[in-house]
Amino acid sequence: GEAIITPVRHAHVQIEFAGKVIQVDPWNIAPSAMLKPADLILVTDVHSDHLDPGAIDRVKKASTQFVVPAAVGSRLGSTVVLSNGERRVIDGVTVEAVSMYNVQRRGQDGALYHTKGRGNGYVLTLGDKRIYFSGDTECTPEVKALANIDVAFVSANLPFTMPPSEAVECVKAFRPKVVYLYHYQQQGIQPRNKNQIDFAEGLKGESGIEVRMPDFYPP
């Protein structure tokens, strides 16, 4: 059947498929009118723009199931904890956890912003289609090795993930059929979607990859 993908805000995406609603990284800045109660909520990381209890409360219901990395644990309720590389079929949806981490970008304390094994990107299999959510990652070997991705959501903002040029090279490596740049807002650059524009320009003329550019940060 049809999968309806609704870009919401930042890293928040809503998917409707086979009578189910899946919310990925719900964020409180999203207007409630866009959102539907979730059967499944995926959380990629412990940072507040991914693990937002207030936003989760707005979209969860009594029967909602959660898929989270071990760093989030069981604090959200009926929870499936996945480590990088693990997969599980949940209510007919296959969820695979993919490594998401920094290779070189570090905070002022010298620690990587995202360490390997703490967070999860995800590949969802809906019918015969595979949808990838990168979470906060640089272009790692695990991302480059992805195969048969129909739709990809890839992050690009410095200093936390990677610049658009690296996101372009990563996408050229695993070649999704459709790609969205999300999680692209970055302080100090104008226009506010410059990373998205640069990403699309980098993939201009790339055969077999369709770039879609919804506004993840509307006024």
mmCIF file of all heavy atoms in Angstrom, residues 25-28 38 41-43 50-61 64 66 76:
data_model
loop_
_atom_site.group_PDB
_atom_site.id
_atom_site.type_symbol
_atom_site.label_atom_id
_atom_site.label_comp_id
_atom_site.label_asym_id
_atom_site.label_seq_id
_atom_site.Cartn_x
_atom_site.Cartn_y
_atom_site.Cartn_z
ATOM 1 N N ASP A 25 11.788 10.754 16.032
ATOM 2 C CA ASP A 25 12.356 11.890 16.764
ATOM 3 C C ASP A 25 11.362 13.048 16.915
ATOM 4 O O ASP A 25 11.619 14.175 16.453
ATOM 5 C CB ASP A 25 13.638 12.388 16.083
ATOM 6 C CG ASP A 25 14.843 11.514 16.397
ATOM 7 O OD1 ASP A 25 14.784 10.737 17.364
ATOM 8 O OD2 ASP A 25 15.852 11.611 15.670
ATOM 9 N N PRO A 26 10.221 12.814 17.571
ATOM 10 C CA PRO A 26 9.262 13.913 17.767
ATOM 11 C C PRO A 26 9.909 15.098 18.475
ATOM 12 O O PRO A 26 10.691 14.923 19.413
ATOM 13 C CB PRO A 26 8.175 13.273 18.652
ATOM 14 C CG PRO A 26 8.313 11.813 18.446
ATOM 15 C CD PRO A 26 9.771 11.564 18.197
ATOM 16 N N TRP A 27 9.535 16.294 18.019
ATOM 17 C CA TRP A 27 10.113 17.524 18.582
ATOM 18 C C TRP A 27 8.999 18.499 18.882
ATOM 19 O O TRP A 27 8.073 18.671 18.078
ATOM 20 C CB TRP A 27 11.117 18.120 17.593
ATOM 21 C CG TRP A 27 12.123 19.032 18.202
ATOM 22 C CD1 TRP A 27 12.590 19.003 19.481
ATOM 23 C CD2 TRP A 27 12.792 20.116 17.559
ATOM 24 N NE1 TRP A 27 13.529 19.982 19.681
ATOM 25 C CE2 TRP A 27 13.670 20.692 18.527
ATOM 26 C CE3 TRP A 27 12.752 20.658 16.291
ATOM 27 C CZ2 TRP A 27 14.483 21.774 18.235
ATOM 28 C CZ3 TRP A 27 13.563 21.730 15.999
ATOM 29 C CH2 TRP A 27 14.424 22.287 16.951
ATOM 30 N N ASN A 28 9.086 19.186 20.026
ATOM 31 C CA ASN A 28 7.984 19.996 20.529
ATOM 32 C C ASN A 28 7.662 21.208 19.677
ATOM 33 O O ASN A 28 6.576 21.780 19.805
ATOM 34 C CB ASN A 28 8.290 20.461 21.957
ATOM 35 C CG ASN A 28 7.231 20.005 22.937
ATOM 36 O OD1 ASN A 28 6.094 19.773 22.562
ATOM 37 N ND2 ASN A 28 7.608 19.882 24.202
ATOM 38 N N ALA A 38 0.781 8.119 17.562
ATOM 39 C CA ALA A 38 1.759 7.163 17.049
ATOM 40 C C ALA A 38 1.507 5.750 17.545
ATOM 41 O O ALA A 38 1.254 5.527 18.732
ATOM 42 C CB ALA A 38 3.162 7.600 17.452
ATOM 43 N N ILE A 41 7.124 4.888 17.919
ATOM 44 C CA ILE A 41 7.982 6.063 18.006
ATOM 45 C C ILE A 41 9.427 5.600 18.015
ATOM 46 O O ILE A 41 9.807 4.743 18.819
ATOM 47 C CB ILE A 41 7.682 6.903 19.262
ATOM 48 C CG1 ILE A 41 6.270 7.500 19.183
ATOM 49 C CG2 ILE A 41 8.719 8.025 19.421
ATOM 50 C CD1 ILE A 41 5.852 8.271 20.432
ATOM 51 N N LEU A 42 10.235 6.174 17.117
ATOM 52 C CA LEU A 42 11.662 5.875 17.052
ATOM 53 C C LEU A 42 12.438 7.072 17.584
ATOM 54 O O LEU A 42 12.174 8.218 17.200
ATOM 55 C CB LEU A 42 12.096 5.593 15.617
ATOM 56 C CG LEU A 42 11.887 4.179 15.057
ATOM 57 C CD1 LEU A 42 10.409 3.809 15.051
ATOM 58 C CD2 LEU A 42 12.462 4.059 13.660
ATOM 59 N N VAL A 43 13.390 6.804 18.463
ATOM 60 C CA VAL A 43 14.261 7.838 19.009
ATOM 61 C C VAL A 43 15.701 7.468 18.647
ATOM 62 O O VAL A 43 16.128 6.335 18.866
ATOM 63 C CB VAL A 43 14.114 7.944 20.539
ATOM 64 C CG1 VAL A 43 15.112 8.944 21.115
ATOM 65 C CG2 VAL A 43 12.683 8.344 20.909
ATOM 66 N N HIS A 50 16.158 15.173 19.899
ATOM 67 C CA HIS A 50 15.768 13.840 19.447
ATOM 68 C C HIS A 50 14.950 13.115 20.517
ATOM 69 O O HIS A 50 13.983 12.425 20.194
ATOM 70 C CB HIS A 50 17.003 13.019 19.078
ATOM 71 C CG HIS A 50 17.835 13.654 18.022
ATOM 72 N ND1 HIS A 50 17.556 13.545 16.675
ATOM 73 C CD2 HIS A 50 18.934 14.451 18.111
ATOM 74 C CE1 HIS A 50 18.442 14.233 15.980
ATOM 75 N NE2 HIS A 50 19.295 14.799 16.831
ATOM 76 N N LEU A 51 15.361 13.271 21.759
ATOM 77 C CA LEU A 51 14.630 12.709 22.890
ATOM 78 C C LEU A 51 13.957 13.867 23.620
ATOM 79 O O LEU A 51 14.531 14.502 24.494
ATOM 80 C CB LEU A 51 15.577 11.951 23.822
ATOM 81 C CG LEU A 51 14.966 11.369 25.097
ATOM 82 C CD1 LEU A 51 13.837 10.401 24.793
ATOM 83 C CD2 LEU A 51 16.040 10.699 25.951
ATOM 84 N N ASP A 52 12.719 14.153 23.235
ATOM 85 C CA ASP A 52 11.958 15.296 23.741
ATOM 86 C C ASP A 52 10.711 14.761 24.440
ATOM 87 O O ASP A 52 9.705 14.448 23.787
ATOM 88 C CB ASP A 52 11.588 16.211 22.574
ATOM 89 C CG ASP A 52 10.850 17.473 23.000
ATOM 90 O OD1 ASP A 52 10.281 17.488 24.101
ATOM 91 O OD2 ASP A 52 10.834 18.440 22.217
ATOM 92 N N PRO A 53 10.730 14.607 25.766
ATOM 93 C CA PRO A 53 9.595 13.997 26.464
ATOM 94 C C PRO A 53 8.273 14.716 26.228
ATOM 95 O O PRO A 53 7.223 14.073 26.110
ATOM 96 C CB PRO A 53 10.012 14.070 27.937
ATOM 97 C CG PRO A 53 11.508 14.099 27.912
ATOM 98 C CD PRO A 53 11.854 14.884 26.680
ATOM 99 N N GLY A 54 8.310 16.049 26.165
ATOM 100 C CA GLY A 54 7.071 16.784 25.923
ATOM 101 C C GLY A 54 6.477 16.473 24.571
ATOM 102 O O GLY A 54 5.256 16.303 24.430
ATOM 103 N N ALA A 55 7.315 16.391 23.550
ATOM 104 C CA ALA A 55 6.825 16.066 22.208
ATOM 105 C C ALA A 55 6.321 14.634 22.152
ATOM 106 O O ALA A 55 5.310 14.338 21.495
ATOM 107 C CB ALA A 55 7.944 16.269 21.185
ATOM 108 N N ILE A 56 7.016 13.739 22.829
ATOM 109 C CA ILE A 56 6.580 12.344 22.851
ATOM 110 C C ILE A 56 5.212 12.227 23.514
ATOM 111 O O ILE A 56 4.335 11.495 23.041
ATOM 112 C CB ILE A 56 7.645 11.482 23.567
ATOM 113 C CG1 ILE A 56 8.862 11.345 22.656
ATOM 114 C CG2 ILE A 56 7.083 10.108 23.928
ATOM 115 C CD1 ILE A 56 10.073 10.731 23.328
ATOM 116 N N ASP A 57 5.003 12.971 24.600
ATOM 117 C CA ASP A 57 3.703 12.934 25.271
ATOM 118 C C ASP A 57 2.575 13.388 24.353
ATOM 119 O O ASP A 57 1.445 12.914 24.470
ATOM 120 C CB ASP A 57 3.735 13.810 26.521
ATOM 121 C CG ASP A 57 4.520 13.179 27.663
ATOM 122 O OD1 ASP A 57 4.774 11.961 27.600
ATOM 123 O OD2 ASP A 57 4.880 13.912 28.600
ATOM 124 N N ARG A 58 2.882 14.303 23.436
ATOM 125 C CA ARG A 58 1.836 14.808 22.532
ATOM 126 C C ARG A 58 1.395 13.773 21.507
ATOM 127 O O ARG A 58 0.262 13.843 21.014
ATOM 128 C CB ARG A 58 2.341 16.051 21.781
ATOM 129 C CG ARG A 58 2.417 17.291 22.638
ATOM 130 C CD ARG A 58 2.417 18.536 21.773
ATOM 131 N NE ARG A 58 3.534 18.571 20.839
ATOM 132 C CZ ARG A 58 3.588 19.388 19.790
ATOM 133 N NH1 ARG A 58 2.590 20.204 19.514
ATOM 134 N NH2 ARG A 58 4.644 19.378 18.996
ATOM 135 N N VAL A 59 2.275 12.852 21.133
ATOM 136 C CA VAL A 59 1.928 11.925 20.044
ATOM 137 C C VAL A 59 1.756 10.480 20.501
ATOM 138 O O VAL A 59 1.317 9.635 19.729
ATOM 139 C CB VAL A 59 2.977 11.974 18.912
ATOM 140 C CG1 VAL A 59 2.984 13.342 18.249
ATOM 141 C CG2 VAL A 59 4.366 11.611 19.421
ATOM 142 N N LYS A 60 2.090 10.177 21.746
ATOM 143 C CA LYS A 60 1.963 8.794 22.181
ATOM 144 C C LYS A 60 0.534 8.489 22.614
ATOM 145 O O LYS A 60 -0.260 9.396 22.894
ATOM 146 C CB LYS A 60 2.930 8.496 23.325
ATOM 147 C CG LYS A 60 2.529 9.087 24.668
ATOM 148 C CD LYS A 60 3.527 8.683 25.738
ATOM 149 C CE LYS A 60 3.092 9.197 27.106
ATOM 150 N NZ LYS A 60 4.054 8.843 28.179
ATOM 151 N N LYS A 61 0.212 7.219 22.633
ATOM 152 C CA LYS A 61 -1.043 6.734 23.190
ATOM 153 C C LYS A 61 -0.726 5.528 24.069
ATOM 154 O O LYS A 61 0.444 5.125 24.186
ATOM 155 C CB LYS A 61 -2.027 6.387 22.076
ATOM 156 C CG LYS A 61 -1.507 5.447 21.011
ATOM 157 C CD LYS A 61 -2.488 5.333 19.852
ATOM 158 C CE LYS A 61 -1.980 4.356 18.803
ATOM 159 N NZ LYS A 61 -2.900 4.268 17.631
ATOM 160 N N THR A 64 1.307 2.754 22.360
ATOM 161 C CA THR A 64 2.495 3.106 21.576
ATOM 162 C C THR A 64 3.700 2.274 22.004
ATOM 163 O O THR A 64 3.962 2.083 23.188
ATOM 164 C CB THR A 64 2.832 4.594 21.750
ATOM 165 O OG1 THR A 64 1.739 5.388 21.279
ATOM 166 C CG2 THR A 64 4.084 4.968 20.947
ATOM 167 N N PHE A 66 7.982 1.874 21.526
ATOM 168 C CA PHE A 66 9.140 2.724 21.290
ATOM 169 C C PHE A 66 10.326 1.859 20.861
ATOM 170 O O PHE A 66 10.522 0.761 21.374
ATOM 171 C CB PHE A 66 9.529 3.484 22.561
ATOM 172 C CG PHE A 66 8.456 4.405 23.071
ATOM 173 C CD1 PHE A 66 7.475 3.936 23.935
ATOM 174 C CD2 PHE A 66 8.411 5.728 22.682
ATOM 175 C CE1 PHE A 66 6.477 4.774 24.404
ATOM 176 C CE2 PHE A 66 7.419 6.576 23.141
ATOM 177 C CZ PHE A 66 6.456 6.092 24.006
ATOM 178 N N LEU A 76 10.752 5.275 28.540
ATOM 179 C CA LEU A 76 9.598 5.767 27.795
ATOM 180 C C LEU A 76 8.381 4.850 27.869
ATOM 181 O O LEU A 76 7.315 5.226 27.398
ATOM 182 C CB LEU A 76 9.981 5.983 26.325
ATOM 183 C CG LEU A 76 11.061 7.027 26.072
ATOM 184 C CD1 LEU A 76 11.408 7.088 24.592
ATOM 185 C CD2 LEU A 76 10.622 8.402 26.566
#
